[in-house]
Amino acid sequence: MKKDFYEILGISKNADVAEIKKAYRKSALKYHPDKNPGDKEAEENFKLAAEAYEVLSDPQKKAKYDQYGHQAFDGSGGFGGHGGMNMDDIFSQFGDIFGGGFGGFGGGGGGPRRAKGSNLRIKVKLTLEEIANGVEKKVKVKRKVQAKGVTYKTCTTCNGQGQVMRVTNTILGRMQSASTCPTCGGSGQILDKKPSEADAQGMVQEDETVSIKIPAGVVDGMQLKVSNKGNDAPGNSIPGDLIVAIEEVEHEFLKREGENVHFDLYISFPEAVLGASKDIEAINGKVRIKLEEGIQSGKILRLKGKGIPSLNGYGSGDLLVHVNVWTPKTLNKEQKQFFENALNDEHFAPSPEKSEKSFFEKVKDMFS
């Protein structure tokens, strides 16, 4: 089981942005690879702290994490991304946290860092069937990639170091600090030659078909990540990511509630009296159920395991069938006479059993 992000940074759920950043800075410096060469445990803790900061420093990601925990980001087929961060990802995304004036720390030992391209964002619409079963989608995205024939040369401002040094006079003496090179952005390289169709950074836009494996059980609004399928950046860079936002298409008959789905079944008065077999809509096709004689309107039939699978793989929800007895609005003379004769018949007098729950009790059970 993955460790809680708040526990990793040693903060409470009420921590503000400044406290989150301070806690991450402290943890990053403690476990930084330069301070712990060859220490695999320290490296793992360094990555975990970066994962925690990536989520908790983003208000939207933090809200999803607070609501769903790790399952808000975990998936399959390269999704979730948080368990697969590497050092280049961390230094390129969070270099400002421990770069600059921390002695030899930050940016992989003070040398040039690999820039990361910008992320791309798309929406993918999924039916309830696709959500329940998982699906592989192929989407076409427009990505910025380095043009063929582009060459780079060493940045003359930083001499390929990716950083520029500054000396400041203070009351404690002369202090030296490093900052990202403003010319090359920290990569240590600048554009040398480019083809005419490339932009000022040597990039061109290309269409690419990306295969996306979406796990079963995702929810509307959830965001998944396909690593390295965003835009490239100039030079020896790391591509950005493709962020996939899930949009659930409303089903014609079924209503989703978490991992459960609901279906309204309307039956005639004779069917309620005599009992019947009915075919009802389920996620993966029709299911036949048997209604007992004398079934009451408002009764809920639960079909175990016929709902949405858990995103974490812990079983599936249920299909809840809500029985509604349809009262006819128009009757012919003979039918009307039949019911008039039955008005005083004891068999037609309401006589609910004590074991039968009221409507309000059923609603309470549904939301408890």
Side-chain angles (χ1 to χ4, degrees):
M1 181 178 291
K2 294 191 71 171
K3 197 173 180 182
D4 180 77
F5 284 156
Y6 292 100
E7 185 180 342
I8 289 171
L9 296 183
I11 55 177
S12 70
K13 285 191 174 182
N14 297 323
D16 58 25
V17 175
E19 290 175 304
I20 294 170
K21 186 173 183 178
K22 182 179 178 181
Y24 172 54
R25 177 189 173 113
K26 180 179 177 181
S27 183
L29 289 175
K30 179 179 178 181
Y31 296 113
H32 197 287
D34 289 351
K35 288 188 68 175
N36 305 273
D39 188 335
K40 293 296 183 183
E41 184 177 352
E43 181 179 328
E44 184 61 26
N45 287 330
F46 183 74
K47 291 180 180 179
L48 287 173
E51 293 174 25
Y53 179 71
E54 182 190 13
V55 172
L56 300 184
S57 62
D58 184 310
Q60 289 185 331
K61 289 182 180 179
K62 183 177 183 296
K64 287 182 180 296
Y65 179 74
D66 288 343
Q67 184 174 2
Y68 299 108
H70 289 294
Q71 77 175 47
F73 307 100
D74 289 342
S76 63
F79 283 120
H82 305 292
M85 294 186 75
N86 56 43
M87 291 302 183
D88 286 330
D89 286 331
I90 297 169
F91 288 132
S92 64
Q93 288 181 268
F94 312 128
D96 62 316
I97 301 294
F98 35 73
F102 294 102
F105 306 121
R113 66 178 176 85
R114 296 178 68 188
K116 184 168 184 176
S118 60
N119 292 338
L120 292 174
R121 297 178 182 275
I122 62 169
K123 274 188 178 181
V124 172
K125 293 185 177 182
L126 300 178
T127 64
L128 200 58
E129 291 85 356
E130 291 172 328
I131 289 174
N133 298 304
V135 66
E136 182 172 353
K137 291 279 190 179
K138 293 185 184 296
V139 297
K140 185 177 285 188
V141 296
K142 289 184 177 293
R143 298 181 58 215
K144 282 188 176 182
V145 298
Q146 289 187 28
K148 292 180 180 179
V150 167
T151 60
Y152 296 88
K153 61 184 179 181
T154 300
C155 176
T156 54
T157 302
C158 65
N159 294 319
Q161 295 301 304
Q163 295 181 330
V164 291
M165 306 301 295
R166 289 186 175 85
V167 178
T168 307
N169 293 318
T170 71
I171 58 174
L172 299 176
R174 291 165 64 84
M175 300 290 291
Q176 181 174 281
S177 63
S179 61
T180 301
C181 176
T183 302
C184 66
S187 68
Q189 296 178 317
I190 56 175
L191 190 64
D192 181 24
K193 296 178 182 178
K194 71 178 184 70
S196 59
E197 69 270 15
D199 63 18
Q201 294 182 312
M203 313 295 287
V204 293
Q205 198 170 62
E206 291 185 353
D207 289 336
E208 181 176 342
T209 300
V210 179
S211 181
I212 306 171
K213 291 182 179 178
I214 301 175
V218 294
V219 297
D220 186 75
M222 180 176 285
Q223 293 186 348
L224 307 177
K225 182 173 81 173
V226 187
S227 298
N228 302 324
K229 289 301 180 181
N231 290 320
D232 280 349
N236 183 28
S237 63
I238 306 167
D241 302 317
L242 177 63
I243 308 301
V244 182
I246 301 299
E247 183 176 338
E248 183 177 320
V249 179
E250 187 173 347
H251 194 280
E252 185 179 2
F253 303 108
L254 301 173
K255 299 295 182 184
R256 181 180 180 181
E257 180 198 13
E259 293 171 1
N260 294 331
V261 289
H262 299 263
F263 177 78
D264 275 318
L265 173 64
Y266 288 89
I267 62 174
S268 68
F269 188 75
E271 288 174 325
V273 173
L274 303 174
S277 292
K278 302 289 287 185
D279 289 330
I280 64 166
E281 290 287 339
I283 293 175
N284 292 312
K286 292 186 180 294
V287 174
R288 173 155 289 205
I289 62 172
K290 184 166 182 153
L291 306 177
E292 61 186 9
E293 293 181 7
I295 194 167
Q296 300 297 312
S297 187
K299 187 173 182 65
I300 300 173
L301 306 177
R302 183 182 295 268
L303 304 185
K304 290 282 188 182
K306 295 292 185 181
I308 304 292
S310 166
L311 190 60
N312 285 331
Y314 301 129
S316 298
D318 303 326
L319 170 59
L320 303 173
V321 182
H322 301 259
V323 178
N324 302 278
V325 178
W326 182 261
T327 303
K329 296 181 179 180
T330 57
L331 297 173
N332 59 33
K333 185 176 180 181
E334 183 181 349
Q335 292 165 337
K336 194 171 184 179
Q337 184 62 52
F338 170 79
F339 284 105
E340 286 176 350
N341 294 336
L343 278 175
N344 298 319
D345 192 315
E346 61 179 12
H347 292 96
F348 285 86
S351 180
E353 298 177 2
K354 290 185 179 180
S355 60
E356 292 184 1
K357 294 183 178 180
S358 69
F359 170 79
F360 297 104
E361 288 174 322
K362 291 175 183 175
V363 171
K364 183 179 178 181
D365 286 347
M366 283 176 57
F367 291 99
S368 62

